[in-house]
Each structure stands twice: as structure tokens, then as C-alpha cells.
Amino acid sequence: MEIKVLGCYGSQLPGYKTTGFLLNGRVLVDAGTVTSVLTIEEQARIDHILITHAHLDHVCEMMFLADNINISAGRNSPITVLSTPGIIRAMKDHLFNDVIWPDFSCIPSIEKPVMAFEPLALEVKHSLGDLSVTAVRVSHSVETVGYIIEFEGGTVIFVGDTGPTERLWEIARGYEDLKAIFIETSFHDSLKNLAALSGHLTPSCLDTELKKLGDHAPDIYLFHMKPMLDLKRIGDSILRISNRNIKILKDGEVIKL
Ligand SMILES: [Zn+2]
Ligand SMILES: [Zn+2]
């Protein structure tokens, strides 16, 4: 499994891009960064997009991806966008609503659209080629899921934007071959009230969350830091979390599992 970090921050500034992870060149987890870093050929190779939630920093470049694929005609089949029915509804009502952006699930035709939306039932395994994917609810300010992705040789979990949560950890503990977890830490501890209000984690919250993993010791990849904050200060607090192999991600990195 190869995971390319297209963007891994909780907002956008020069040198800092919002969330998007490309798995094996074909499956995108969130679409906050896609079109600003991939060539048109690389964009046309994406078959599936898993969306954790409809916040702009996780979906914004999906709009341009649809437009690019439509005009460049690099594909014979639609790119399939998968998420829960509620999250799909939010994207259709508020983004692809023919006001903010065209409804690319009807373009160029209803029979052969650029983009197709496919609802995922929670906690049910869904096959995506050689991967299988399970969506699990987490605890953010809007409906949000994390994705448990099984591949040949292991399991990786992408925790969506979340505050303290339970069910995902309960399920994660059942995976003996858990290789890695991609999880957010948005704010430093002095902003813990804002983190609680907005459904995000601070380093202390992260420490508490990781204890819910029990004896499991997957690699932990951190993302979604707010780039307008003192990132070193967040990083220094992360270093104090013991007994965990934690790495803070950077845009453009490639992780092999
Ligand atoms: Zn976010
Ligand atoms: Zn969010």
C-alpha cells in the first residue's frame, strides 16, 4: 500500500494544503487537495473518493476534479464518490447543487456522468478493488466518519476530523494486523475549549484517545494541524506522548505500508 499525502493541514496557507490522501494512485481519502498537485493524467486515474465529511477543507478540490475530468475526457467511467447517505446529501445540497457548482452526477449526461455518488452503510465492509473499506461514525461538529481500510498485508485507519470518540477505537481493537492510523490533532492544548467546541483534538486529547487502542501499537501519522498556529509548540507536546510511534505528516510525503 502506498499512501501519498497530497495535503495534510487543517486550513490553507502558502506551503500548507488541506486534507487529501491518495492510496495506490487510485483511491482518494478526502479531496481537500487533489487538482492543485496532481497532473491531469494522475487525476484521471482516480477511481474512488472516500469522503469523511462535507467540510470544505475535505472536499473543495473535488469540484475542480469533476470539471477537469469532464473537459479532458480522460475516463470512460465515472469517478465514484463514497460516503454515508447524510454526507452525500450535504455535498449534493450545498456544493453540487447547480448554484455553487454544477451537478456533475448529471454531466455530460445522466447515463454517463463524470461523477457518481454511492452511499455506504455504517460499519459494513465494502469492497473497492483489492481494498475493503468500512465507515465508522466519529465525533465532529457535523456528520463525519473514519475509514478502516484493509489491504493485502494489513489494515490502516483514517480517522476523520474528530473530538474524543469511542466506537472507532472499539472496532479498531479487533484488528490484529493494524499497521497505521492517520489521525488529527488540530490545536495546541491552550486552545482546548475551541477544540472541544469544534470537535477536534489537542495533543493531550490525542494521548487519551490513543490509550483506547489498548496493546495495539500501529504507527501513528498526525495531520490536520491548523497552520496559522505555532506548529512547533503542537509538535513539542506530541513528543511528550510516550510508548507510541508518532510521526507528524508533511505535504507531499509518501508512506509505504
Ligand atoms: Zn478539517
Ligand atoms: Zn471538519
Side-chain angles (χ1 to χ4, degrees):
M1 164 79 94
E2 181 193 274
I3 300 167
K4 185 162 193 203
V5 180
L6 305 181
C8 62
Y9 291 93
S11 188
Q12 196 180 66
L13 279 175
Y16 298 93
K17 293 185 164 291
T18 54
T19 304
F21 299 107
L22 184 62
L23 316 188
N24 295 336
R26 299 256 173 210
V27 175
L28 195 61
V29 177
D30 280 341
T33 300
V34 195
T35 49
S36 59
V37 296
L38 296 183
T39 64
I40 190 72
E41 291 80 15
E42 290 169 327
Q43 292 173 37
R45 264 180 236 131
I46 296 169
D47 291 321
H48 298 96
I49 307 177
L50 296 164
I51 296 292
T52 61
H53 64 304
H55 275 163
L56 266 190
D57 56 317
H58 299 258
V59 298
C60 55
E61 293 197 0
M62 186 167 59
M63 324 303 282
F64 305 119
L65 179 65
D67 193 28
N68 291 353
I69 297 300
N70 183 42
I71 290 168
S72 73
R75 291 181 57 86
N76 295 317
S77 56
I79 296 179
T80 306
V81 180
L82 301 108
S83 199
T84 64
I87 296 167
I88 289 175
R89 185 80 265 148
M91 292 189 284
K92 288 187 144 201
D93 284 352
H94 302 292
L95 299 170
F96 295 100
N97 60 4
D98 286 328
V99 178
I100 298 296
W101 206 242
D103 177 2
F104 277 97
S105 63
C106 306
I107 295 174
S109 65
I110 290 179
E111 296 73 32
K112 222 172 167 226
V114 167
M115 208 159 249
F117 291 92
E118 192 174 327
L120 287 178
L122 286 175
E123 300 187 18
V124 175
K125 207 176 280 191
H126 184 94
S127 169
L128 282 191
D130 52 0
L131 306 178
S132 61
V133 175
T134 307
V136 181
R137 270 300 281 274
V138 291
S139 312
H140 192 36
S141 54
V142 293
E143 181 175 346
T144 302
V145 291
Y147 288 107
I148 298 173
I149 301 181
E150 295 166 72
F151 57 97
E152 204 185 319
T155 298
V156 55
I157 298 180
F158 291 86
V159 182
D161 284 11
T162 195
T165 197
E166 298 301 332
R167 180 66 180 149
L168 184 82
W169 301 121
E170 193 183 323
I171 294 175
R173 287 195 295 271
Y175 284 87
E176 292 299 327
D177 63 350
L178 188 53
K179 295 273 189 287
I181 295 181
F182 288 66
I183 184 167
E184 74 134 277
T185 296
S186 297
F187 300 110
H188 41 67
D189 283 316
S190 66
L191 293 174
K192 64 174 192 292
N193 291 341
L194 177 57
L197 205 64
S198 56
H200 287 296
L201 299 175
T202 66
S204 300
C205 302
L206 175 72
D207 194 8
T208 306
E209 291 306 292
L210 293 179
K211 287 191 172 82
K212 297 174 188 173
L213 265 174
D215 292 337
H216 286 57
D219 292 333
I220 307 295
Y221 294 98
L222 276 199
F223 73 103
H224 207 274
M225 290 186 185
K226 295 284 184 183
M228 67 296 276
L229 297 176
D230 181 350
L231 298 183
K232 185 174 179 307
R233 184 172 168 194
I234 303 177
D236 288 346
S237 304
I238 296 293
L239 287 176
R240 289 197 283 275
I241 298 176
S242 55
N243 301 323
R244 291 285 171 196
N245 183 20
I246 303 179
K247 187 172 186 313
I248 297 171
L249 288 174
K250 291 210 162 58
D251 291 350
E253 256 183 280
V254 176
I255 315 285
K256 297 217 178 187
L257 298 177

